[in-house]
Amino acid sequence: MNRRSFLLLTATSVAATPTELVGAFANAPSQSLVSPTSTGAWYVAMRRCGQINYNERDPLTMDAEAWGDYWASLKVDAVLLNGGGIVAFYPTQVPYHHRSEFLGNRDLFGEMVAAMKRRQIHAVARMDCNLAYEEALKAHPEWFERNQDGSPRPHGESPWLFATCMFSTYFTEQMPAIYREINQHYPVDGFFTNGWPSTGSLRVCHCENCRRVFEKLGGVPPAETDSANPIYRKYYQAYMDRVQEIWRLWDNIAREKSSQCVYVGNLGGGLDTVKDLKQLSQVAAWFNADHQGRSGETPIWSCAQQGRVAYSVMQGRATTNVAGAYSNAQPNWRHVSKAPAELTLWLAQTAASGMVPWFHWLGGSPEDTRWREVGRSFFDWLAANDAHFRNRHTIADVAVLYPQRTVAFYSRPESQRPRHRGGPIDYLQGLYYALLEGRFFFDFVHEGNLDAATLRKYRALLIPNAAYLGDAQCGAIREYVKDGGSLLATFETSRYDEWGDLRPDFQLADVFGARVAGEVIGPHGNSYARMERQHPVLEGFQGTSLLPDAENRVPVRADAVPLVLSVVPAYPAFPPEMVYPRTPRTTEPAAVFREIGKSRVAYFAGDVDRTCWRSGNSDLSQLLRNAINWVRGSDPLVSVQGPGLIEAFAWETEPGYALHLLNYTNPNATHGSIRGTYPIGPQQVRFRIVEGHAVKSVRALRSGSTLKFQQQGPTVSFDVPGIADYEVIALA
Ligand SMILES: [Zn+2]
């Protein structure tokens, strides 16, 4: 369980909904909130980070010096240490700040801070603002979230704790009092809040504060977080405003002592972010992604995706990701280690995608210590090769739109979900898998950053069903294509505005060369796409005239574009006697491929990306890869040829360039936990560097070997003999 699922657990009785904050916070400016002092700050230069998350009982047994030695052995720049919030681990004087009942005469927090400082490690106070004891509830009923009947919200597993309300003075008075007390008495370098604000669903509260908020918005708390509800729309922005207001308040309090002291909130959650990351990034001097591990059907690459999402808004500013060393799967085991191969690959993805790893254990007196060496060996290696992880920017020729509004609002809530809609990240996940199989070098571009300056560096923009897309974003895409950029888009992209109001046609109909001709059809299996003529997108499909088609499609007309793939409508799949096409041939396009000047545009009317992800169909992946290849064009900036399923990142670094290769060739890539490593064989690399640069050495940093290479003009070619779990090739 990561912190986000923890938050969700605590909200079991809560219909996540909207409210908006009005009053002092409603009109708060939402730009340029990052402290100007953040450049040159210690957390900007931070390379490795640790966290020991101790519990109420730990003051009885915890050895601060031993922990100091362990973290020093990992060569970390900072350690997160539990200060207070729910439980104070020091002798607090703030009323209703519950001291650990096992604290006795100890000042565990103070000892831990001192142990880190003796070892020249920065100390960050890890706080929790989400829950408090009944004593506080009795004294300050206004601090707490309420259900519709006025009852407080006890925690699901620890019902003696109650959820606090973000709109109350608990956040503007009580937490600040605690931060100031800690800042006054301890040489801390920052504050971090567990579980807040998170990127998960919004909570709707019925406390007095929140009722006033809703009154000012002109309504009552809605039962569900549905963007079709006008009150939810207002609430969403008011909620985001409140988060930014609190974040700035706490950052300012942290900096009262020193401009180097920072507040960092808790973000992350992989692809699925309900809160607007672009807005949050505007207040965050430091973005911590709390994406500690995976469970169920979450693919191994979820951590790398987190890195790409974070980079799309932070653009290289301080970003960390928490790796849980304990077994945080489903079910969850807090006090035993995660499989070493899984944990190492999670740390590797963190580093490869440009984030700083934050290694996390829970419990001050562990009985399982197997995780320690996993972190130590990885951090040792990172420290020894530190310069090559100092990135300047990514090297990528393809942009993938991160469709924030669609991810946040499409197909929620479940009770009102049209049948043709799956989870909103399925589209991106299907495209992503094809991008990995095709070994493309790509960046995510957050919807809030869709402009000519951002898109200029990419040859093609890929849009995985950005159904909810604003006019301004559509305008930027249109301009990009007009200026020679290429485009791939799927399904309902631009069919709705940014809140989900249906438009009469795709806003991008002119760009797609396709117009809506009816309501979405599906979900249907056993429907097909017929290949009507030769096209580069259809390469490799010899031996068939039919391809599988998507489960859902928008019927479209594309009269001015030659028909390449036509729809064969679904027909019965059972019983076998009935399995024949009732309409074997139509003129309805399953996809539209067109060239306008230098631009190539591929539009798929079906949800091929989502269907590919859910079915695992290899033809659909091939079709997507072909289409990406076609829109990007030949001669990529970087190419890696060889066996295996890998994810690749290329960076321009301080010493030169780095190529990161993550080996996902594993039976547990898309389920459960990596149990062992399956090395893959040689990879042929061509890497385009800046014109005029001469590479002097190419080294494989994990295997510690020097590679032979050739340079012809800006192209450097070399073979990587093999990859175990992760390899980094440094060109200097
Ligand atoms: Zn409230």
Side-chain angles (χ1 to χ4, degrees), residues 165 205 207 210:
C165 179
C205 167
C207 80
C210 290

PDB file of all heavy atoms in Angstrom, residues 165 205 207 210, ligand 1:
ATOM      1  N   CYS A 165      -9.728  18.138   8.395  1.00  0.00           N
ATOM      2  CA  CYS A 165     -10.205  18.788   7.168  1.00  0.00           C
ATOM      3  C   CYS A 165      -9.207  19.833   6.693  1.00  0.00           C
ATOM      4  O   CYS A 165      -8.791  20.710   7.451  1.00  0.00           O
ATOM      5  CB  CYS A 165     -11.561  19.434   7.400  1.00  0.00           C
ATOM      6  SG  CYS A 165     -12.157  20.275   5.916  1.00  0.00           S
ATOM      7  N   CYS A 205     -16.261  16.951   2.046  1.00  0.00           N
ATOM      8  CA  CYS A 205     -16.474  16.988   3.484  1.00  0.00           C
ATOM      9  C   CYS A 205     -17.693  17.853   3.766  1.00  0.00           C
ATOM     10  O   CYS A 205     -17.994  18.793   3.035  1.00  0.00           O
ATOM     11  CB  CYS A 205     -15.200  17.564   4.120  1.00  0.00           C
ATOM     12  SG  CYS A 205     -15.372  18.029   5.835  1.00  0.00           S
ATOM     13  N   CYS A 207     -18.220  19.344   6.855  1.00  0.00           N
ATOM     14  CA  CYS A 207     -18.003  20.134   8.070  1.00  0.00           C
ATOM     15  C   CYS A 207     -18.483  21.571   7.847  1.00  0.00           C
ATOM     16  O   CYS A 207     -18.800  21.968   6.721  1.00  0.00           O
ATOM     17  CB  CYS A 207     -16.530  20.095   8.481  1.00  0.00           C
ATOM     18  SG  CYS A 207     -15.463  21.217   7.551  1.00  0.00           S
ATOM     19  N   CYS A 210     -16.561  23.527   5.248  1.00  0.00           N
ATOM     20  CA  CYS A 210     -16.824  23.098   3.876  1.00  0.00           C
ATOM     21  C   CYS A 210     -18.228  23.478   3.427  1.00  0.00           C
ATOM     22  O   CYS A 210     -18.445  23.813   2.268  1.00  0.00           O
ATOM     23  CB  CYS A 210     -16.572  21.600   3.742  1.00  0.00           C
ATOM     24  SG  CYS A 210     -14.805  21.214   3.860  1.00  0.00           S
TER      25      CYS A 210
HETATM   26 ZN    ZN B   1     -14.427  20.080   5.869  1.00  0.00          ZN
END
